[in-house]
Amino acid sequence: MNEDKGQITPEVVPEFLAPLENHTVIQGRDVSFTCVVNHLQSYRVAWIKSDSRAILAIHTRMVTHNPRLSVTHNGHNTWKLHISNVQKNDSGSYMCQVNTDPMRSQMGYMEVVIPPDIMDDESANGLVTQEGGNLRLRCIATGLPKPTVNWKREDGRKIVLREDGKKQILDTYEGETLELTGILRQEMGTYLCIASSSVPPRVSKRYTVSVHFEPLIRIPNQLVGAPVDSDVVLQCYVEASPQAMNTWYRDSGEKLPPNDKYTMSEEQLSDYSWQMNLTVKSLKKGDFGGYVCSTVNALGKAEGCVRLQELQLVDKTTPSILMKNTETRQRKKTIMKEKKKTNGGNTNNRRKVHTLDGYDSDSIGNEDDLGTTQIMAGSTLHEGKTDRPLPLPSISPPWINVNAASSRQGPIVRDIIFLLLLLLRLTNFF
C-alpha cells in the first residue's frame, strides 16, 4: 500500500492475462510457450522445467546450457520460451513464474510424439526357400505412441497361413512376425510391413519372398495349322524359379537363332511365369514339323513340343445338279402298288406330281415323303413342283419312279404311262 497526501492506495500486483498453453508436437519440430504478464513492475519472470525443477531462464538470461532453448521479450508484457528440434526427453510440464511473495506461476504441458519407423532388418533382403518350405518375416516398428504393424501383399493377393493342418486366407495380418509355412509358388512375391499410429505418416517396408522350384512347361496348342506363305506364332508357357533360360529348337535338335525367318519374344506374366513366343515367317514346305520349347535353371530342365502342320485351302465348288428324294432306275418302268388305310378327308393323301426332264412321277403327299428336284447350273437354281388334284380313293395309288435319263421315247412313253395310271385308278375305284 502507498500513502500519498494522506490517502492510502492499494499496491498493484502482477497478473497473468492468459493461461500457458499445452502442446503436442512431433519430434524434430519447433515449439514455444508464451507467458503474458501485466503490472510486472520490478518483478522478474523465470522459466522452470517443473518435473525436474531445473531453472531454464530468468527474465531474458538463459540459465540452462541447452543450445536448443532460448527466451525472448517483446519489451512490454510478453515473454516466450523457445524449444527447437524437440526431442522425446523434452516432454513434461513447463512453468512461467513471477517472483512475488507469495510466488505467482502458471504451467503448461508438452507432449512429444514420434512418427512410426521400422528398424532395419538385413534378413528382409534374402527370404528364399524351396517350394513347400517355411519362412519367418519379422518387422520391428518404433514410435510414440507404439505403432500397430500390419502385413499385406503388394500385388493385392491373399496371405495364406497354415497351422496344424488348417489354412487361413487373409487380406491383412496384424503382428510384428508373419509365419509362412508350406509355401507354394503362388505365394512368392513382395510382402509389405505397414506401421501406423495416431501420428502421421505411416511407413512401410518391402519383404521379397522367393520360392525356388524346377521348371515346368505348359503348351496351350500342341497342334497348329497354317497355310504355305503365311506367318504363324507358336507359344509355350514357362514356370520357373529362379528365372530360367528359354530356347527354341526344331525336333531334329537344331537350335533356332533369331533372324529374318524366326522371331523370339518373352512376356513376363508373374514373378515366376513367362510366355514364350516363336514367330515363323513365310512358311515353306520344309518349315512344317515339330518345334521344341526348352527351359532350364539351376534346379532342372523341361521341354515341350508344338507340331506345325500344313493347312490346305480348298476352293468351294457348286454342283451342276442336285436331286433330293429322287430315284433313277433302268429303262423298264416299274409299277408298285401299295395299299394304305386312311380317312377320306385326310389332306396328307393328296398326290404330288414332280417333273423331271419331261416325265412325271407320283408320290404320296406326306410331309416326310415330299420329293423335290433341284437343277443347278452354275449359280442358277431351278426347282419345280406341280400339284394335280384327282379324286382320291380309300386305297392309295401305286408309286411309280421313272428314270428320265435312260428313257429316249419322249411323249409316246409318257402317254402310255399316263393311260396305265388312269386305267389302274379307274379299276381300283370301281
Side-chain angles (χ1 to χ4, degrees), residues 299-345:
L299 300 180
K301 179 179 180 181
E303 291 184 344
C305 185
V306 182
R307 182 154 295 277
L308 180 57
Q309 182 173 325
E310 182 179 358
L311 184 64
Q312 299 287 348
L313 298 180
V314 181
D315 294 334
K316 294 184 178 180
T317 59
T318 303
S320 60
I321 297 178
L322 172 63
M323 293 188 291
K324 178 181 178 184
N325 291 341
T326 304
E327 295 186 4
T328 58
R329 298 189 178 181
Q330 299 300 324
R331 168 174 290 186
K332 87 181 221 178
K333 300 179 290 294
T334 304
I335 301 175
M336 298 166 47
K337 295 183 179 180
E338 178 180 358
K339 297 183 179 181
K340 293 184 179 179
K341 291 184 179 181
T342 179
N343 294 329

Side-chain angles (χ1 to χ4, degrees), residues 349-380:
N349 288 334
R350 295 183 58 196
R351 294 179 180 273
K352 303 293 182 180
V353 180
H354 306 285
T355 305
L356 175 62
D357 290 345
Y359 297 94
D360 294 340
S361 63
D362 293 348
S363 66
I364 302 298
N366 186 294
E367 191 83 24
D368 295 333
D369 296 332
L370 179 61
T372 303
T373 302
Q374 298 177 339
I375 303 173
M376 301 177 63
S379 61
T380 304

Side-chain angles (χ1 to χ4, degrees), residues 218-226 231-237 248-250 256 262-265 275-281 283 287-293 304-309:
R218 293 186 299 108
I219 301 176
N221 299 305
Q222 294 183 342
L223 181 61
V224 178
D231 296 350
V232 68
V233 179
L234 309 180
Q235 293 180 332
C236 290
Y237 291 94
W248 286 93
Y249 296 89
R250 287 301 301 267
L256 300 180
Y262 304 110
T263 300
M264 294 85 166
S265 65
Q275 175 181 305
M276 296 174 58
N277 302 309
L278 171 65
T279 303
V280 186
K281 303 175 184 177
L283 289 175
D287 295 325
F288 297 104
Y291 289 80
V292 176
C293 50
C305 185
V306 182
R307 182 154 295 277
L308 180 57
Q309 182 173 325

Side-chain angles (χ1 to χ4, degrees), residues 7-20:
Q7 294 181 353
I8 300 175
T9 59
E11 181 180 2
V12 178
V13 296
E15 61 178 352
F16 297 105
L17 294 185
L20 205 62

